[in-house]
Amino acid sequence: MRLREHISPSDPIVILTGAGISKESGLQTFRDPDGVWAKHKIEDVATPQAFATNPDAVLGFYNLRRAQMGDPEIQPNAAHAALGALEGIWPGGVLLVTQNIDDLHARGGSRNLIHMHGELAKTRCNACGDLTEGVGDIETAMVCGKCSVTGTLRPHVVWFGEMPLEMDRIGGALANCGLFVSIGTSGNVYPAAGFVEEARNHGAYTVELNLEESLGASLFQEGRYGPATEIVPAFVNELQALAQN
Ligand code: BV8
């Protein structure tokens, strides 16, 4: 029971997730051989420059992913559900920071949740910042309901070169947590890939749960490897046992 030697139930927990936690729900990851970046170039679809020069291509890319997320086949999996349940189990509190823009954590029961790279289910006006819930396609011909400008609606998603959301709140949580757990992320993208060092520098015990060792594996004090739907529920069960005695 290595966890018991390093944390107590009163310690706050910060969890970072990436695309790997949604893989078994049927959503592609980014850098696996069949991943998103095997079919699209980041600079063509996931930067402000791409949106400025070819908005139709960018909106088409996100409209496809938004439609896929709405597919009834795509459901939260056992890993999402375990993390949702953890909030009600752990006395020290749990903050879930996800890089994912899908809605599976909320549907899996997580409430104390930050989408640091934004949310596919939200639409933002690039001119006035107005945010609306959106499930249908976004088109360049659309007019913003608030500022009436045409062609400025975009998915509420953080592109490369843009500042991730709620970084101050995340930094504060990393500085005060006793346990930092990274799940289903390759450790390619910053600043998220640097969170483990921030947490560890402030004394947190750090654990990686992934299908295989990530780029940052050596930065963690512990690593457990396997499919998220197996290793995440097992990990949450250990935390529950720790919290109960
Ligand atoms: C920024 C939204 C200024 C769009 C995304 C140093 C500091 C700061 C910035 C940088 C830096 N160095 C470089 C940068 C610039 C850049 C960057 O990191 N580039 C990389 C490519 C080198 N970062 C930025 O531009 C960021 N903004 O820097 O602002 C700033 C400066 C300082 C401080 C703060 C801010 C903005 C980055 C956000 C870009 N937007 N997404 C969209 O989704 O379309 S990033 C994109 O990558 C997704 O969000 C994705 O989640 C994220 C990370 O990918 P992963 O989730 O890890 O997915 P991946 O496929 O890579 O890995 C999946 C893993 O799951 C694998 O390990 C696999 O083994 C595992 N797995 C697979 N199956 C399973 C599994 N695990 C368990 N079970 C399974 N079944």
Side-chain angles (χ1 to χ4, degrees), residues 138-239:
I138 305 175
E139 308 293 351
T140 45
M142 288 179 170
V143 180
C144 171
K146 188 164 181 198
C147 69
S148 306
V149 177
T150 302
T152 58
L153 296 185
R154 58 175 280 183
H156 179 50
V157 161
V158 177
W159 287 324
F160 287 90
E162 294 186 320
M163 182 66 81
L165 307 175
E166 301 211 54
M167 286 300 291
D168 291 342
R169 186 170 155 216
I170 295 169
L174 293 170
N176 292 295
C177 69
L179 174 63
F180 175 79
V181 190
S182 176
I183 304 174
T185 181
S186 64
N188 268 286
V189 174
Y190 287 83
F195 289 172
V196 53
E197 283 179 294
E198 268 187 75
R200 189 166 177 173
N201 291 343
H202 285 92
Y205 185 62
T206 55
V207 180
E208 175 173 76
L209 305 180
N210 208 48
L211 189 63
E212 61 206 0
E213 288 198 357
S214 73
L215 287 180
S218 61
L219 301 171
F220 292 86
Q221 284 129 306
E222 187 174 340
R224 303 187 187 187
Y225 299 98
T229 55
E230 290 171 20
I231 60 175
V232 175
F235 189 77
V236 169
N237 288 342
E238 262 187 66
L239 288 171

Side-chain angles (χ1 to χ4, degrees), residues 19 24 30-31 62 65 99 117 158 161-162 185-186 190 210 228:
E24 291 164 89
F30 289 86
R31 295 168 187 83
Y62 285 98
R65 288 172 64 194
Q99 301 173 87
H117 290 164
V158 177
E162 294 186 320
T185 181
S186 64
Y190 287 83
N210 208 48

Side-chain angles (χ1 to χ4, degrees), residues 81-94 109-112 236 240 243-244:
L83 296 183
L86 181 61
E87 283 184 20
I89 297 169
W90 190 254
V94 179
S110 291
R111 293 295 171 266
N112 198 18
V236 169
Q240 182 167 23
Q244 283 167 350

Side-chain angles (χ1 to χ4, degrees), residues 78-102:
H80 297 107
L83 296 183
L86 181 61
E87 283 184 20
I89 297 169
W90 190 254
V94 179
L95 173 64
L96 176 52
V97 180
T98 186
Q99 301 173 87
N100 301 339
I101 60 177
D102 63 56

